[in-house]
């Protein structure tokens, strides 16, 4: 068991190192010069002043040293918890921007992932044993899961917000209210949350429901299910066993899907101008903000790795087979 | 009393039509009798075994009756049949290696099963442990997962579970096929022991291995293409078979003391007919060395000697 998690931790550490390195490289390969944009914003005409400003900013962001030293400095700063200063929102530190955006992203992602996974599994298992439900739900499920997150988001925004006017089109809360712990603010927050949440939930729900339906059918035809039925066990028992066994691959599926889900959430945030990490990434790209982009990616990498690790642990807890193989003892 | 099967017909529904896997099978198994059911694959052995306890979704009970201890078994009605399963009719399936839920401890699974049948695990736990001792399984297996048991242990565990409620009829479907020869013998002997101790009243032992059947069965029934070819005492079937199919089946077994490098082991040329559209008359006609004009008519099962039934015009 110890050895297993030791090996896992090593793999995660390696993944983290490689991912962070790529994060550092990507913004630097982007065309354009961020400093130029920053200087242009100041609207100074005098060439001497421009040169002085350019030198000042280049030095401030640490871009005046060779690239390998920039890389080493980057790691050194990162280990201190310093992710640099944003160019777009100069001079706010990247860490502050991310901390401000994180609650919105997590508030969308965590409920959407967990609820769609739970509801999709329940519903898929339920649909698998009713022919009419199976025949109607299956095509809808395929349609939903094949829909790009962004497209469904646009569709929902157009129908429910613009045409029907039931929900607001964009932002996390109405500009008429100030962020506070008042009912008015929380209500505004909830109303704005519904559409981005639904677009994420629906797409994922379709995928989980289809997966579960297929797994349940497979499990109900397995040998142990046949044996129990031949001995006259109630179908409740057989279905309970089948559900539990079918959930196991779905847990692995969740781990595999996390990356895609996070990417989907980022696009959804952009569609709804939801002030989360996805929104920050869009701003960072538009403004060639190396440091903000690095910070946002770093947060995503960390989040996906942590979530994967949790799923790994949960899987060994719920599947006796992996546990026994790890301990390697038989009767 | 035992089991009486009368003109049983079970067909498979397929897209190309009905497959007549069991087409009018009549036989009886007495109390304390072990009936060996032999024949090549596709002859209807497993279909017969399944029909007596639980039909799968494609099987249809098209005719005939099954009576166990004087009561008719509603074999075509999955729901009404539940009352008889496990307590009256039980099965050791072909797939004993994977018959137990891999993610549940064996003892818990047995408890779940018993409770699902409205029985208390606590009342039967003592008997369960005694039977584990009997088949030489440590009691700790109840706290383990199926994965932790060897193939032979799983086989014995399933045997104990299946017979826990002392069923009147036990169907043992190819239970030795996946085992090595020495384990085969032990499993067969355990089965006889269960009968002798009264855990099961009668047994239908389905196998394609006639030599193993001969060692434990009282009676052997040979099936061919969904029908009974011959049924008699085990020694009669092996030493004095009357049906040409049985004769060929017996003669294709290797004998001790014969070098098969010198003499080639005889087989039965040809293959069984399609049961989608079986030929009229005797179904063995095309492969039979003795076939003549009369065989275009279906031969009835005749009792040529007491308890020796043969369905052949030449017997």
């Amino acid at each position: 068991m110890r050895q297993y998690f030791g090996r896992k931790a090593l793999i995660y550490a390696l993944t983290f190192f490689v991912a962070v390195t790529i994060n550092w490289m990507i913004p630097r390969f982007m065309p354009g010069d961020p400093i130029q944009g920053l200087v242009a914003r100041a609207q100074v005409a005098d060439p001497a002043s421009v040169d002085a400003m350019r030198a000042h900013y280049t030095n401030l962001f640490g871009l005046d040293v060779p690239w390998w030293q920039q890389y080493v400095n980057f790691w050194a700063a990162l280990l201190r918890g310093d992710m640099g200063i944003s160019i777009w929102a100069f001079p706010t530190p990247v860490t502050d921007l991310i901390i401000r955006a994180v609650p919105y992203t997590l508030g969308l992602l965590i409920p959407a992932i967990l609820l769609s996974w739970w509801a999709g599994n329940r519903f898929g298992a339920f649909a698998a044993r009713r022919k009419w439900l199976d025949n109607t739900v299956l095509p809808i499920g395929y349609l939903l899961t094949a829909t790009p997150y962004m497209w469904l988001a646009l569709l929902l925004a157009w129908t429910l917000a613009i045409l029907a006017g039931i929900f607001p089109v964009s932002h996390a809360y109405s500009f008429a209210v100030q962020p506070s712990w008042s009912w008015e603010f929380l209500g505004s927050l909830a109303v704005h949350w519904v559409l981005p949440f639904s677009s994420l939930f629906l797409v994922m729900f379709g995928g989980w429901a289809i997966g579960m339906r297929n797994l349940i059918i497979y499990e109900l035809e397995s040998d142990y299910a046949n044996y129990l039925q031949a001995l006259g066990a109630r179908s409740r028992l057989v279905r309970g066993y089948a559900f539990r066994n079918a959930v196991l691959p779905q847990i692995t599926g969740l781990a595999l899907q996390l990356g895609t889900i996070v990417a989907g959430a980022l696009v959804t945030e952009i569609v709804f101008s939801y002030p989360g990490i996805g929104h920050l990434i869009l701003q960072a790209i538009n403004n060639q903000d190396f440091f903000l982009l690095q910070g946002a990616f770093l947060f995503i990498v960390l989040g996906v790795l942590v979530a994967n690790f949790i799923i790994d642990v949960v899987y060994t807890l719920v599947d006796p087979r992996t546990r026994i193989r790890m301990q390697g003892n038989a009767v | 009393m035992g089991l009486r099967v009368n003109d049983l017909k079970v067909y498979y529904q397929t897209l190309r039509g009905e497959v007549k896997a069991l087409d009018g099978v009549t036989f009886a198994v007495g109390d304390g009798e072990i009936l060996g059911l032999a024949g090549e694959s596709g002859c209807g052995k497993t279909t017969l075994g399944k029909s007596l306890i639980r039909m799968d979704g494609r099987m249809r009970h098209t005719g005939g009756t099954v009576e166990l201890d004087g009561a008719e078994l509603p074999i075509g009605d999955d729901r009404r049949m539940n009352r008889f399963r496990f307590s009256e009719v039980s099965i050791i399936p072909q797939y004993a290696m994977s018959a137990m839920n891999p993610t549940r401890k064996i003892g818990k699974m047995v408890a779940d099963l018993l409770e699902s049948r409205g029985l208390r695990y606590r009342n039967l736990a003592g008997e369960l442990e005694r039977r584990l001792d009997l088949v030489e399984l440590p009691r700790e297996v109840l706290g383990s997962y199926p994965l932790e048991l060897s193939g032979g242990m799983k086989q014995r565990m399933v045997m104990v579970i299946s017979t826990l409620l002392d069923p009147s009829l036990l169907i043992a479907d190819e239970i030795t096929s996946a085992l090595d020869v020495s384990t085969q013998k032990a499993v067969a002997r355990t089965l006889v022991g269960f009968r002798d101790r009264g855990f099961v009243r009668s047994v239908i032992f389905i196998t394609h291995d006639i030599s193993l059947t001969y060692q434990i069965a009282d009676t052997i029934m040979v099936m061919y293409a969904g029908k009974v070819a011959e049924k008699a005492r085990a020694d009669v079937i092996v030493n004095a078979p009357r049906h040409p199919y049985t004769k060929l089946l017996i003669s294709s077994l290797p004998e001790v003391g014969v070098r098969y490098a010198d003499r080639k082991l005889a087989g039965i040329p040809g293959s069984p007919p399609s049961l989608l559209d079986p030929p009229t008359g005797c179904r063995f006609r095309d492969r039979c060395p003795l076939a003549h004009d009369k065989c275009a008519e279906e031969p009835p099962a005749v009792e040529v000697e007491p308890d020796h039934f043969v369905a052949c015009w030449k017997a």
Side-chain angles (χ1 to χ4, degrees):
Chain A
M1 186 84 82
R2 194 117 157 253
Q3 203 189 356
Y4 173 79
F5 281 113
R7 208 171 54 227
K8 279 271 172 200
L10 189 72
I11 292 170
Y12 279 114
L14 206 66
T15 315
F16 178 73
F17 173 77
V18 172
V20 168
T21 303
I22 293 173
N23 282 351
W24 176 85
M25 279 160 54
I26 287 175
R28 282 162 180 79
F29 282 135
M30 288 199 307
D33 179 4
I35 303 298
Q36 197 167 17
L38 203 58
V39 174
R41 238 187 274 169
Q43 290 182 335
V44 186
D46 179 22
S49 315
V50 168
D51 284 346
M53 271 178 80
R54 172 176 286 276
H56 167 71
Y57 281 135
T58 313
N59 174 265
L60 182 69
F61 290 117
L63 298 175
D64 53 350
V65 292
W67 65 267
W68 60 267
Q69 200 166 350
Q70 286 185 36
Y71 181 65
V72 173
N73 289 346
F74 161 73
W75 270 107
L78 189 66
L79 295 178
R80 288 196 308 269
D82 175 14
M83 292 197 275
I85 296 167
S86 165
I87 300 177
W88 163 62
F90 187 79
T92 325
V94 168
T95 321
D96 287 3
L97 287 173
I98 287 177
I99 286 174
R100 249 179 270 159
V102 161
Y104 292 106
T105 295
L106 291 186
L108 265 190
L109 261 181
I110 291 177
I113 291 175
L114 294 182
L115 282 177
S116 69
W117 191 82
W118 179 82
N121 280 334
R122 284 275 153 203
F123 194 75
F126 183 71
R129 43 177 214 269
R130 272 167 193 74
K131 197 137 203 139
W132 63 271
L133 206 59
D134 200 27
N135 287 339
T136 48
V137 165
L138 201 62
I140 297 176
Y142 276 119
L143 202 68
L144 279 179
T145 188
T147 311
Y149 288 97
M150 174 199 60
W151 191 76
L152 188 68
L154 286 172
L155 201 69
L156 286 177
W158 183 60
T159 52
L160 292 181
I162 293 172
L163 289 185
I166 305 171
F167 295 105
V169 189
S170 57
H171 303 298
Y173 51 87
S174 162
F175 288 133
V177 293
Q178 282 294 317
S180 63
W181 288 111
S182 67
W183 285 116
E184 199 190 356
F185 174 71
L186 291 177
S188 172
L189 208 59
V191 174
H192 283 78
W193 175 82
V194 171
L195 282 188
F197 166 79
S198 312
S199 70
L200 286 174
F201 176 86
L202 285 174
V203 173
M204 287 190 266
F205 174 82
W208 296 129
I210 285 177
M212 192 59 180
R213 176 221 171 243
N214 296 343
L215 285 165
I216 278 280
I217 287 175
Y218 175 79
E219 289 291 335
L220 285 179
E221 278 167 12
S222 66
D223 289 342
Y224 69 84
N226 273 323
Y227 181 54
L228 284 172
Q229 282 167 333
L231 296 186
R234 282 203 200 114
S235 58
R236 242 178 79 93
L237 176 67
V238 182
R239 284 204 311 265
Y241 279 2
F243 184 79
R244 208 195 121 95
N245 291 351
V247 155
L248 298 174
Q250 291 285 79
I251 295 177
T252 322
L254 185 59
L256 290 173
Q257 282 289 307
L258 268 180
T260 325
I261 294 170
V262 170
L266 301 183
V267 190
T268 307
E269 280 178 13
I270 292 169
V271 171
F272 290 101
S273 303
Y274 209 75
I277 300 285
H279 186 69
L280 277 190
I281 288 179
L282 182 67
Q283 298 304 335
I285 292 174
N286 282 341
N287 294 285
Q288 270 137 13
D289 191 339
F290 292 4
F291 306 96
L292 185 55
L293 205 53
Q294 273 168 18
F297 280 153
L298 180 75
F299 171 78
I300 292 169
V301 167
L302 264 181
V304 171
L305 286 181
V306 167
N308 259 305
F309 187 72
I310 293 173
I311 292 172
D312 266 346
V313 174
V314 167
Y315 197 85
T316 53
L317 289 181
V318 293
D319 190 347
R321 286 168 293 190
T322 33
R323 210 163 55 225
I324 290 163
R325 284 203 189 103
M326 260 154 33
Q327 291 159 347
N329 56 345
V331 173
Chain B
M1 297 280 264
L3 176 81
R4 307 191 68 84
V5 175
N6 196 9
D7 197 28
L8 182 65
K9 289 183 179 158
V10 174
Y11 296 170
Y12 282 92
Q13 309 262 289
T14 70
L15 288 176
R16 293 192 296 156
E18 282 179 330
V19 174
K20 302 180 176 69
L22 279 186
D23 211 4
V25 171
T26 304
F27 67 96
V29 187
D31 277 346
E33 182 177 343
I34 296 182
L35 172 77
L37 191 52
E40 57 198 314
S41 24
C43 72
K45 297 178 306 231
T46 298
T47 308
L48 178 57
K50 272 184 168 177
S51 302
L52 296 178
I53 185 157
R54 181 172 177 264
M55 299 200 183
D56 69 36
R58 298 165 306 142
M59 288 158 79
R60 294 285 174 279
H61 178 207
T62 336
T65 54
V66 178
E67 224 176 76
L68 183 65
D69 300 331
E72 192 180 334
L73 289 183
I75 59 162
D77 187 335
D78 191 51
R79 215 171 272 267
R80 280 206 299 144
M81 191 61 200
N82 249 359
R83 199 161 58 81
F84 297 93
R85 290 180 183 135
F86 200 11
S87 52
E88 298 296 321
V89 191
S90 192
I91 187 167
I92 304 173
Q94 226 164 3
Y95 46 77
M97 300 300 140
S98 53
M100 291 182 281
N101 183 356
T103 60
R104 194 100 172 124
K105 285 183 177 158
I106 292 169
K108 289 238 178 71
M109 194 202 80
V110 176
D112 288 345
L113 173 62
L114 290 173
E115 253 130 67
S116 164
R117 292 301 309 265
L119 297 160
R120 299 288 291 275
Y121 178 66
R122 227 178 323 136
N123 300 343
L124 285 152
E127 186 60 29
L128 179 61
E129 287 181 353
R130 269 195 296 285
R131 293 192 184 182
L132 288 181
D133 296 344
L134 200 68
V135 298
E136 287 163 16
L137 279 175
R139 292 180 180 190
E140 288 79 58
V141 293
L142 293 178
S144 342
Y145 292 97
L147 178 81
E148 297 172 275
L149 272 61
S150 71
M153 288 168 90
K154 276 187 234 178
Q155 179 85 48
R156 276 177 280 158
M157 190 66 228
V158 170
M159 287 176 82
V160 169
I161 296 175
S162 290
T163 54
L164 189 59
L165 300 185
D166 296 348
S168 176
L169 173 69
L170 178 71
I171 298 152
D173 187 1
E174 301 273 12
I175 56 172
T176 55
S177 308
L179 303 172
D180 59 81
V181 183
S182 55
T183 326
Q184 276 184 4
K185 188 105 188 227
V187 164
R189 219 179 282 131
T190 310
L191 205 57
V192 175
F194 277 17
R195 191 266 317 260
D196 295 345
R197 283 167 200 272
F199 295 171
V200 295
R201 209 133 15 112
S202 37
V203 180
I204 296 181
F205 185 77
I206 303 173
T207 180
H208 55 258
D209 184 350
I210 280 214
S211 48
L212 188 72
T213 319
Y214 175 55
Q215 292 175 27
I216 69 159
D218 304 310
T219 319
I220 295 180
M221 182 162 95
V222 179
M223 288 185 67
Y224 185 78
K227 287 184 180 291
V228 177
E230 186 168 9
K231 176 175 177 282
R233 279 208 329 269
D235 55 319
V236 174
I237 287 281
V238 173
N239 298 320
R242 301 283 285 264
H243 196 286
Y245 176 63
T246 319
K247 284 181 188 165
L248 285 168
L249 205 61
I250 301 289
S251 70
S252 60
L253 293 175
E255 273 171 72
V256 177
V258 176
R259 285 172 52 91
Y260 288 96
D262 309 334
R263 179 166 76 82
K264 224 178 165 191
L265 197 57
I268 308 177
S271 54
S274 157
L275 295 178
L276 199 59
D277 185 19
T280 52
C282 177
R283 294 188 176 178
F284 189 55
R285 199 170 27 154
D286 292 345
R287 297 168 79 186
C288 184
L290 306 177
H292 63 306
D293 296 345
K294 184 81 170 150
C295 298
E297 255 176 77
E298 189 175 329
V302 178
E303 194 164 8
V304 291
E305 277 167 48
D307 290 325
H308 188 167
F309 298 88
V310 187
C312 178
W313 294 113
K314 289 243 163 162

